[in-house]
Amino acid sequence: MGQTAAVDAYLWITVVSLAAWVWLLLGQGFFWRTDVRLPPRREPEAWPSVCVVVPARDEAAVLPDSLPSLLAQDYPGRAEVFLVDDGSTDGTGGLAGELSRRLGGLPLTVGSPGEPPAGWTGKLWAVRYGIGLARARDPEYLLLTDADIAHAPDSLRELVAAAEAGGFDVVSQMARLRVASPWERLVVPAFVYFFAQLYPFRWIGRRGSRTAAAAGGCVLLRAGTAQKARIPDAIRHAVIDDVALARAVKGAGGRVWLGLADRVDSVRPYPELGDLWRMVSRSAYAQLRHNPLLLLGTVAGLALVYLVPPAAVAVGAAGGDAATALAGAVAWAVMAGTYLPMLRYYGQPPWLAPLLPFTAFLYLLMTVDSAVQHYRGRGAAWKGRTYSRPDAVPDEG
C-alpha cells in the first residue's frame, strides 16, 4: 500500500512538471525562440545626436578589446563618448585616453566622480556623473554601455534607426556573452535562456505589457525620457540596474524593446566555474528582493521544473514504473527542445541540451549561496564594493 502511494506520488509530481513544461513551451511568450532581434528600422531624415556613457571600474584588461569599437562607430550624426573612471586602481582612465589619442575616432572625455554617497550603487553613481557630463552637449539619445562590450561599426547607427522607426524610448540588446571555456559553454547560454524565461522578450516590446527588462551592457535611452523617469536617481540603489531602468521607463509611460544582439558582444572572460558563480550569485538574491519566501518558492520551482524530469526517468526505470519514466522523458525532451535554439545562437553542440538540468542545479546552488552571503552580511559584491541591502551604503571590502 505504502509503495503504491509512493509510486502514485512520483507520477503525479512528474505530471505536474510535464504540465509546467507544456505551459512554458506555449504560454510564456515563446521565450525559447531566438528570433527577437532589432525591430524593423529605417534611416531617419536627420540623425539625432548621441552621447555614449561608459562606467568603468578596473577595466584595463578588457578596454583594449572594447573601447576601440566605440571610438570607431560609423554614425552619421553627432556622437561623443564619455568614459567614467569609477575609482579604478589599474589605470583604466589613463589607458582610455591613450587609446583615444592613438586610434582617433569619436571624441572621448574621461572623468571620475569620486566615491558614491550613501544609497547609491557605484555603477549608477558613475552613470549619473557621465549623464551629467553628456547633458552639456544636449544629446537626444544616451547609449549606456559597459566597458566590456564591443560594438560592430554600425551598432549605434542600427540602434538609433530602430528607436526612431519604432518610437521606442529604450532599445536594448542582450550582448552575446563569451563562450570559449568548457564552463562558459555549459553555463552562459543557460544564463540568457533563464533570463528570457523570466522576461520574455516578446512581452517587453508589446504595447500595454507590464513586463519590463533591459540588458545593461547595451541600452539606448532617449535623453528626454531619462529626465522624465528620473534616471538614474530613481533607481540609485538598484543592484540589478538594467531591469530597474526598464521598469522606471515603463512607469513613466515610455516604450521598451529588448532582444538578442547580432552586433554587440561581451569580451569579458569567465573561464572558471568560480568566475561564473560570482557573476550569478552577486545579484541572484537581489532578484528575489531578499525575500526568504521567494527564495523557497524559487528553489522548489527550479527543482520541480528542471530536476524532476531526469529524476523521474531514473526512478521510473529503476522501479519498473513505465508511466512515471515516460512522463519524465517527455518533460525532459520538451526542456531540451526549448534549449536548442539558444545553443544554436551561441554556436554550441546540441548534445548540451539534455545537460540543462545539471546547469539548472548549479543555478539553484548559486541562488542559495547568494542568500547565504546576504545573511552573512556580505551581500552583492563586485570589484571591492559590497551591497548588503537594496538601500545599503556601499562598503569598501
Side-chain angles (χ1 to χ4, degrees):
M1 182 71 175
Q3 185 175 359
T4 301
V7 170
D8 288 344
Y10 284 138
L11 177 58
W12 279 110
I13 291 172
T14 307
V15 168
V16 171
S17 180
L18 175 57
W21 273 110
V22 172
W23 163 253
L24 289 170
L25 176 68
L26 303 175
Q28 189 64 8
F30 295 101
F31 76 94
W32 44 272
R33 292 178 58 173
T34 55
D35 56 349
V36 181
R37 309 296 174 89
L38 277 177
R41 49 207 180 274
R42 62 180 180 275
E43 294 195 352
E45 294 182 4
W47 287 91
S49 59
V50 182
C51 285
V52 182
V53 177
V54 186
R57 180 173 172 84
D58 292 333
E59 298 285 16
V62 298
L63 214 57
D65 296 320
S66 59
L67 184 59
S69 73
L70 287 172
L71 300 177
Q73 284 301 297
D74 177 20
Y75 186 67
R78 179 168 58 88
E80 188 171 349
V81 180
F82 294 85
L83 185 136
V84 184
D85 184 0
D86 180 19
S88 299
T89 60
D90 65 350
T92 289
L95 175 60
E98 178 187 335
L99 289 169
S100 177
R101 288 188 294 271
R102 177 156 52 88
L103 301 174
L106 297 184
L108 173 71
T109 299
V110 178
S112 182
E115 285 300 305
W120 282 84
T121 65
K123 178 182 176 181
L124 287 171
W125 180 245
V127 168
R128 185 182 193 272
Y129 181 82
I131 290 177
L133 294 176
R135 279 181 179 150
R137 310 295 197 270
D138 194 26
E140 295 172 68
Y141 285 95
L142 299 163
L143 175 61
L144 311 181
T145 185
D146 289 344
D148 66 319
I149 302 299
H151 293 255
D154 62 347
S155 172
L156 181 57
R157 184 185 194 125
E158 293 291 290
L159 287 166
V160 172
E164 289 285 285
F168 293 105
D169 297 275
V170 167
V171 173
S172 179
Q173 288 187 289
M174 177 75 71
R176 198 187 302 257
L177 303 176
R178 180 181 182 268
V179 283
S181 73
W183 284 112
E184 286 171 336
R185 293 188 178 100
L186 184 68
V187 174
V188 165
F191 176 82
V192 182
Y193 173 88
F194 294 144
F195 185 93
Q197 191 177 92
L198 286 173
Y199 305 103
F201 296 162
R202 280 177 171 76
W203 290 357
I204 291 168
R206 184 186 301 165
R207 287 186 182 274
S209 170
R210 298 179 61 183
T211 305
C218 177
V219 178
L220 183 74
L221 171 65
R222 289 185 189 268
T225 301
Q227 288 187 300
K228 182 179 179 181
R230 296 179 53 247
I231 291 171
D233 295 59
I235 60 171
R236 60 188 177 274
H237 60 267
V239 174
I240 308 175
D241 52 89
D242 43 12
V243 174
L245 181 149
R247 286 173 177 165
V249 168
K250 279 206 169 184
R255 293 188 63 202
V256 177
W257 183 93
L258 171 63
L260 295 173
D262 293 314
R263 299 171 175 82
V264 183
D265 298 278
S266 173
V267 298
R268 190 184 305 283
Y270 294 98
E272 305 296 335
L273 178 59
D275 303 314
L276 292 159
W277 194 289
R278 285 186 290 273
M279 178 191 74
V280 175
S281 66
R282 74 170 185 262
S283 59
Y285 198 39
Q287 177 73 46
L288 301 177
R289 301 195 294 274
H290 302 103
N291 186 319
L293 292 179
L294 286 178
L295 174 65
L296 290 174
T298 298
V299 170
L302 284 170
L304 175 67
V305 173
Y306 290 98
L307 305 185
V308 163
V313 171
V315 170
D321 182 359
T324 298
L326 178 61
V330 173
W332 196 356
V334 174
M335 180 199 314
T338 63
Y339 192 37
L340 282 173
M342 189 62 70
L343 290 174
R344 284 196 295 268
Y345 172 74
Y346 272 99
Q348 299 306 301
W351 59 261
L352 286 172
L355 299 182
L356 186 57
F358 173 72
T359 306
F361 180 62
L362 290 178
Y363 274 89
L364 185 155
L365 295 178
M366 294 173 193
T367 302
V368 172
D369 181 59
S370 180
V372 170
Q373 298 306 318
H374 170 78
Y375 290 115
R376 286 182 175 175
R378 298 177 186 177
W382 179 241
K383 295 191 176 181
R385 289 196 180 109
T386 300
Y387 310 101
S388 57
R389 302 186 311 275
D391 58 347
V393 179
D395 175 34
E396 290 298 307

